[in-house]
Amino acid sequence: MTSATTTAAAARKQARDTTTPLPRRTLDWRLRFGALSLVWGFSFLLIKVGTHGYAPFQVTFGRLLFGTVVLAAAMAVKRERLPRGARVWAHLTVAAFLLNALPFSLFAYSELTIPSTLAGICNATSPLWGMALSLVALSEDRPTRVRVAGLGLGFLGVLTVLGAWQGFSGLDARGTTMALLASLSYPIGWIYVRRTLAGTGASHLSLTGAQLLLATLQLAAITPLFTSVPAHFPLLPLLAIAALGTLGTGLALLVQYGLVAEVGPTTAQMVTYFIPVIATAAGVAILGESLSWSTPVGAVIVLAGAGLTQVRPRGNR
């Protein structure tokens, strides 16, 4: 659910290049890690609630708009400027589509027909897609037996979640496909950013702020073509969208950037494995969504496989 990890390398470089130590934080990183897990885990519930009153594109537009406002405020406080250069903005436009506009919209549309619990579990497949794509797109990312085994195990978990032995009966194929495509869009975007925006010299906050701004403009152009202005504005779905944007997008990106800079991208990325657990608990406890045995069992297998795909040879750490 995040583009913060995409510029982890830039964050590490920035930390190495500066001679001024990071200011001492008043809140332990473990508490911020837990808060980030909760916020992103509840994002799927907030999407579901938002779609109860607004069209999926409207949910995504509101999410991006509120998130952009948070990052713009952070940039103003830190006196950060937007990145410069037509080439950088062109690449950011593509990144905004792949990492924000497209996956956010796909998840919103998917939750019209599938439970938020299933959407959250589909999100956990992102490291699996990333592993498969990196073997092809990133020559320095060499496969190992452990990582390949993790890839196979992870997709076995996906089949378990979807109930493949039952012929996927009772499963909305369209909604599930959208959720899986959203999860696939993230690693495609990460690889694109890694290839095109590394070494730009702009700060992570500046790049992410510009990226969210461009994604907001993309949705501002697309939303009127497929939706009409709501006749009324239901309060609870509107509050869900506002929370999704300010907390689940804007503030969450700021928190993860701090985690990446403080404890490194590997530890910060571990938040991915807590999201489906929280999303499932929230969907069942608050929304009353049903849960068969195959869903949690498959989710555990997916997370185990995803974890194995992140194991790298000692020399690459």
Side-chain angles (χ1 to χ4, degrees):
M1 300 286 291
T2 173
S3 60
T5 308
T6 65
T7 51
R12 293 199 305 271
K13 182 177 185 299
Q14 185 179 6
R16 288 196 303 265
D17 291 346
T18 181
T19 56
T20 304
L22 289 173
R24 185 175 182 179
R25 300 185 183 276
T26 57
L27 191 61
D28 186 85
W29 73 266
R30 296 171 186 84
L31 295 178
R32 286 178 283 124
F33 182 96
L36 185 61
S37 301
L38 284 173
V39 167
W40 271 336
F42 271 88
S43 291
F44 296 94
L45 179 149
L46 294 174
I47 292 171
K48 174 69 78 173
V49 175
T51 57
H52 288 168
Y54 300 93
F57 275 137
Q58 293 169 345
V59 172
T60 302
F61 173 68
R63 174 183 187 175
L64 289 167
L65 180 62
F66 282 111
T68 300
V69 169
V70 171
L71 288 185
M75 290 179 64
V77 170
K78 295 187 176 183
R79 298 182 180 181
E80 292 269 3
R81 294 183 178 181
L82 290 171
R84 298 179 180 180
R87 175 181 172 276
V88 172
W89 280 90
H91 289 313
L92 282 172
T93 300
V94 177
F97 176 75
L98 292 173
L99 290 169
N100 303 114
L102 178 60
F104 289 0
S105 298
L106 285 173
F107 272 125
Y109 267 101
S110 74
E111 291 199 39
L112 291 177
T113 56
I114 67 172
S116 65
T117 55
L118 179 55
I121 292 172
C122 287
N123 181 75
T125 66
S126 188
L128 302 177
W129 296 120
M131 162 67 181
L133 290 171
S134 66
L135 295 179
V136 177
L138 300 175
S139 58
E140 70 273 18
D141 210 355
R142 301 295 182 185
T144 64
R145 291 181 179 179
V146 172
R147 300 183 72 196
V148 172
L151 186 63
L153 182 63
F155 284 113
L156 176 62
V158 173
L159 294 177
T160 303
V161 170
L162 302 182
W165 66 93
Q166 297 175 334
F168 307 104
S169 62
L171 183 73
D172 184 82
R174 183 179 180 183
T176 304
T177 300
M178 285 185 176
L180 290 173
L181 288 175
S183 302
L184 172 61
S185 182
Y186 288 127
I188 293 176
W190 297 336
I191 291 173
Y192 180 85
V193 166
R194 185 170 172 179
R195 284 180 170 271
T196 61
L197 289 173
T200 60
S203 71
H204 166 83
L205 179 58
S206 176
L207 290 173
T208 305
Q211 181 180 305
L212 276 190
L213 173 62
L214 288 168
T216 304
L217 295 176
Q218 291 170 2
L219 263 295
I222 292 174
T223 301
L225 301 179
F226 296 93
T227 65
S228 57
V229 178
H232 60 285
F233 296 85
L235 181 59
L236 184 58
L238 183 59
L239 291 176
I241 295 171
L244 182 64
T246 56
L247 300 177
T249 304
L251 184 61
L253 290 176
L254 293 177
V255 171
Q256 185 169 9
Y257 171 59
L259 288 174
V260 169
E262 185 174 350
V263 300
T266 301
T267 300
Q269 284 177 346
M270 291 297 292
V271 71
T272 303
Y273 307 115
F274 292 87
I275 292 174
V277 177
I278 296 171
T280 299
V284 172
I286 299 176
L287 297 180
E289 295 176 345
S290 60
L291 189 68
S292 64
W293 70 266
S294 61
T295 302
V297 171
V300 170
I301 298 174
V302 168
L303 294 177
L308 290 177
T309 65
Q310 303 308 300
V311 175
R312 300 176 185 277
R314 293 182 181 274
N316 294 341
R317 293 180 181 178

Short mmCIF file of all heavy atoms in Angstrom, two decimals, residues 79-107:
data_model
loop_
_atom_site.label_atom_id
_atom_site.label_comp_id
_atom_site.label_asym_id
_atom_site.label_seq_id
_atom_site.Cartn_x
_atom_site.Cartn_y
_atom_site.Cartn_z
N ARG A 79 10.16 23.03 4.49
CA ARG A 79 10.63 23.92 3.42
C ARG A 79 11.24 23.15 2.25
O ARG A 79 12.29 23.50 1.71
CB ARG A 79 11.63 24.93 3.98
CG ARG A 79 11.03 25.84 5.04
CD ARG A 79 12.03 26.87 5.54
NE ARG A 79 11.43 27.74 6.54
CZ ARG A 79 12.07 28.74 7.15
NH1 ARG A 79 13.35 28.98 6.85
NH2 ARG A 79 11.45 29.49 8.04
N GLU A 80 10.57 22.09 1.91
CA GLU A 80 10.99 21.27 0.77
C GLU A 80 10.35 21.81 -0.51
O GLU A 80 9.21 22.30 -0.50
CB GLU A 80 10.55 19.81 0.97
CG GLU A 80 11.26 19.09 2.08
CD GLU A 80 12.51 18.38 1.58
OE1 GLU A 80 12.83 18.50 0.37
OE2 GLU A 80 13.16 17.71 2.39
N ARG A 81 11.08 21.70 -1.60
CA ARG A 81 10.56 22.13 -2.90
C ARG A 81 10.23 20.92 -3.76
O ARG A 81 10.81 19.85 -3.57
CB ARG A 81 11.58 23.01 -3.62
CG ARG A 81 11.85 24.35 -2.94
CD ARG A 81 12.82 25.17 -3.77
NE ARG A 81 13.07 26.49 -3.18
CZ ARG A 81 13.86 27.40 -3.72
NH1 ARG A 81 14.50 27.13 -4.88
NH2 ARG A 81 14.03 28.57 -3.13
N LEU A 82 9.32 21.12 -4.68
CA LEU A 82 9.02 20.05 -5.63
C LEU A 82 10.23 19.80 -6.53
O LEU A 82 11.02 20.72 -6.77
CB LEU A 82 7.80 20.42 -6.48
CG LEU A 82 6.45 20.46 -5.76
CD1 LEU A 82 5.39 21.05 -6.67
CD2 LEU A 82 6.05 19.07 -5.30
N PRO A 83 10.40 18.58 -6.99
CA PRO A 83 11.56 18.29 -7.86
C PRO A 83 11.49 19.08 -9.16
O PRO A 83 10.42 19.51 -9.58
CB PRO A 83 11.43 16.78 -8.11
CG PRO A 83 10.01 16.45 -7.82
CD PRO A 83 9.57 17.39 -6.76
N ARG A 84 12.63 19.23 -9.77
CA ARG A 84 12.71 20.00 -11.01
C ARG A 84 13.14 19.09 -12.16
O ARG A 84 13.75 18.06 -11.95
CB ARG A 84 13.71 21.15 -10.86
CG ARG A 84 13.33 22.17 -9.79
CD ARG A 84 14.37 23.26 -9.68
NE ARG A 84 14.01 24.25 -8.66
CZ ARG A 84 14.76 25.32 -8.36
NH1 ARG A 84 15.92 25.51 -9.02
NH2 ARG A 84 14.37 26.17 -7.44
N GLY A 85 12.81 19.54 -13.37
CA GLY A 85 13.22 18.81 -14.56
C GLY A 85 12.07 18.08 -15.22
O GLY A 85 11.32 17.36 -14.55
N ALA A 86 11.93 18.29 -16.52
CA ALA A 86 10.83 17.64 -17.26
C ALA A 86 10.96 16.12 -17.22
O ALA A 86 9.96 15.41 -17.14
CB ALA A 86 10.82 18.14 -18.71
N ARG A 87 12.19 15.62 -17.29
CA ARG A 87 12.40 14.17 -17.29
C ARG A 87 11.92 13.55 -15.97
O ARG A 87 11.25 12.52 -15.97
CB ARG A 87 13.88 13.86 -17.50
CG ARG A 87 14.22 12.37 -17.41
CD ARG A 87 15.72 12.15 -17.60
NE ARG A 87 16.09 10.77 -17.32
CZ ARG A 87 16.34 10.29 -16.11
NH1 ARG A 87 16.22 11.09 -15.05
NH2 ARG A 87 16.67 9.02 -15.94
N VAL A 88 12.25 14.20 -14.85
CA VAL A 88 11.83 13.69 -13.55
C VAL A 88 10.31 13.69 -13.44
O VAL A 88 9.70 12.70 -12.99
CB VAL A 88 12.45 14.54 -12.42
CG1 VAL A 88 11.86 14.13 -11.06
CG2 VAL A 88 13.96 14.39 -12.40
N TRP A 89 9.67 14.75 -13.88
CA TRP A 89 8.22 14.83 -13.81
C TRP A 89 7.54 13.82 -14.73
O TRP A 89 6.48 13.28 -14.39
CB TRP A 89 7.75 16.25 -14.12
CG TRP A 89 7.89 17.15 -12.93
CD1 TRP A 89 8.98 17.91 -12.61
CD2 TRP A 89 6.93 17.36 -11.90
NE1 TRP A 89 8.76 18.58 -11.43
CE2 TRP A 89 7.51 18.28 -10.97
CE3 TRP A 89 5.65 16.90 -11.65
CZ2 TRP A 89 6.84 18.71 -9.83
CZ3 TRP A 89 4.97 17.34 -10.52
CH2 TRP A 89 5.56 18.22 -9.63
N ALA A 90 8.15 13.54 -15.86
CA ALA A 90 7.59 12.53 -16.76
C ALA A 90 7.63 11.15 -16.11
O ALA A 90 6.64 10.40 -16.16
CB ALA A 90 8.36 12.52 -18.08
N HIS A 91 8.76 10.82 -15.48
CA HIS A 91 8.85 9.53 -14.80
C HIS A 91 7.93 9.47 -13.58
O HIS A 91 7.34 8.42 -13.29
CB HIS A 91 10.30 9.27 -14.37
CG HIS A 91 11.23 8.98 -15.52
ND1 HIS A 91 10.92 8.08 -16.51
CD2 HIS A 91 12.48 9.46 -15.81
CE1 HIS A 91 11.93 8.02 -17.38
NE2 HIS A 91 12.88 8.85 -16.98
N LEU A 92 7.79 10.58 -12.88
CA LEU A 92 6.89 10.62 -11.73
C LEU A 92 5.44 10.43 -12.15
O LEU A 92 4.64 9.87 -11.41
CB LEU A 92 7.05 11.95 -10.98
CG LEU A 92 8.27 12.07 -10.06
CD1 LEU A 92 8.40 13.49 -9.53
CD2 LEU A 92 8.18 11.08 -8.90
N THR A 93 5.10 10.90 -13.35
CA THR A 93 3.74 10.71 -13.85
C THR A 93 3.42 9.23 -14.03
O THR A 93 2.34 8.76 -13.66
CB THR A 93 3.56 11.45 -15.20
OG1 THR A 93 3.80 12.85 -15.01
CG2 THR A 93 2.15 11.26 -15.74
N VAL A 94 4.39 8.49 -14.57
CA VAL A 94 4.21 7.05 -14.74
C VAL A 94 4.16 6.37 -13.37
O VAL A 94 3.32 5.50 -13.11
CB VAL A 94 5.34 6.45 -15.59
CG1 VAL A 94 5.19 4.94 -15.70
CG2 VAL A 94 5.36 7.09 -16.97
N ALA A 95 5.06 6.77 -12.47
CA ALA A 95 5.10 6.20 -11.13
C ALA A 95 3.79 6.46 -10.38
O ALA A 95 3.28 5.59 -9.67
CB ALA A 95 6.28 6.76 -10.34
N ALA A 96 3.24 7.66 -10.54
CA ALA A 96 1.98 8.01 -9.88
C ALA A 96 0.85 7.10 -10.35
O ALA A 96 -0.01 6.70 -9.56
CB ALA A 96 1.63 9.47 -10.16
N PHE A 97 0.86 6.79 -11.62
CA PHE A 97 -0.18 5.91 -12.16
C PHE A 97 -0.02 4.48 -11.63
O PHE A 97 -0.99 3.86 -11.17
CB PHE A 97 -0.12 5.90 -13.68
CG PHE A 97 -1.09 4.95 -14.32
CD1 PHE A 97 -2.45 5.24 -14.37
CD2 PHE A 97 -0.65 3.76 -14.88
CE1 PHE A 97 -3.35 4.35 -14.95
CE2 PHE A 97 -1.54 2.87 -15.46
CZ PHE A 97 -2.89 3.17 -15.49
N LEU A 98 1.21 3.96 -11.66
CA LEU A 98 1.45 2.56 -11.29
C LEU A 98 1.38 2.32 -9.79
O LEU A 98 0.96 1.25 -9.35
CB LEU A 98 2.83 2.12 -11.81
CG LEU A 98 2.98 2.01 -13.32
CD1 LEU A 98 4.44 1.73 -13.68
CD2 LEU A 98 2.07 0.93 -13.88
N LEU A 99 1.78 3.30 -9.00
CA LEU A 99 1.88 3.11 -7.56
C LEU A 99 0.70 3.69 -6.78
O LEU A 99 0.51 3.34 -5.60
CB LEU A 99 3.17 3.72 -7.02
CG LEU A 99 4.45 3.00 -7.44
CD1 LEU A 99 5.68 3.84 -7.09
CD2 LEU A 99 4.54 1.64 -6.78
N ASN A 100 -0.08 4.55 -7.40
CA ASN A 100 -1.17 5.19 -6.68
C ASN A 100 -2.50 5.13 -7.42
O ASN A 100 -3.43 4.47 -6.97
CB ASN A 100 -0.81 6.66 -6.37
CG ASN A 100 0.47 6.81 -5.60
OD1 ASN A 100 1.46 7.35 -6.09
ND2 ASN A 100 0.51 6.33 -4.37
N ALA A 101 -2.58 5.80 -8.54
CA ALA A 101 -3.87 5.92 -9.24
C ALA A 101 -4.45 4.56 -9.62
O ALA A 101 -5.63 4.28 -9.36
CB ALA A 101 -3.71 6.80 -10.49
N LEU A 102 -3.65 3.71 -10.22
CA LEU A 102 -4.15 2.41 -10.69
C LEU A 102 -4.46 1.46 -9.54
O LEU A 102 -5.59 0.96 -9.44
CB LEU A 102 -3.14 1.79 -11.66
CG LEU A 102 -3.52 0.41 -12.20
CD1 LEU A 102 -4.84 0.47 -12.96
CD2 LEU A 102 -2.41 -0.15 -13.10
N PRO A 103 -3.51 1.15 -8.64
CA PRO A 103 -3.83 0.18 -7.59
C PRO A 103 -4.91 0.67 -6.63
O PRO A 103 -5.76 -0.12 -6.20
CB PRO A 103 -2.49 -0.03 -6.88
CG PRO A 103 -1.68 1.17 -7.20
CD PRO A 103 -2.10 1.58 -8.57
N PHE A 104 -4.91 1.95 -6.28
CA PHE A 104 -5.94 2.46 -5.38
C PHE A 104 -7.33 2.30 -6.01
O PHE A 104 -8.29 1.93 -5.33
CB PHE A 104 -5.69 3.94 -5.07
CG PHE A 104 -4.48 4.19 -4.18
CD1 PHE A 104 -3.70 3.15 -3.71
CD2 PHE A 104 -4.14 5.49 -3.82
CE1 PHE A 104 -2.59 3.39 -2.90
CE2 PHE A 104 -3.04 5.75 -3.01
CZ PHE A 104 -2.26 4.70 -2.55
N SER A 105 -7.42 2.59 -7.31
CA SER A 105 -8.71 2.46 -8.00
C SER A 105 -9.13 1.01 -8.11
O SER A 105 -10.31 0.67 -7.93
CB SER A 105 -8.62 3.10 -9.40
OG SER A 105 -8.33 4.48 -9.32
N LEU A 106 -8.18 0.13 -8.42
CA LEU A 106 -8.51 -1.29 -8.55
C LEU A 106 -8.99 -1.87 -7.23
O LEU A 106 -9.95 -2.64 -7.19
CB LEU A 106 -7.29 -2.06 -9.06
CG LEU A 106 -6.95 -1.89 -10.54
CD1 LEU A 106 -5.62 -2.57 -10.87
CD2 LEU A 106 -8.06 -2.45 -11.42
N PHE A 107 -8.35 -1.51 -6.13
CA PHE A 107 -8.79 -2.00 -4.83
C PHE A 107 -10.19 -1.48 -4.51
O PHE A 107 -11.02 -2.21 -3.96
CB PHE A 107 -7.81 -1.59 -3.73
CG PHE A 107 -6.68 -2.57 -3.52
CD1 PHE A 107 -5.36 -2.16 -3.58
CD2 PHE A 107 -6.94 -3.90 -3.27
CE1 PHE A 107 -4.32 -3.06 -3.39
CE2 PHE A 107 -5.91 -4.82 -3.08
CZ PHE A 107 -4.60 -4.39 -3.14
#
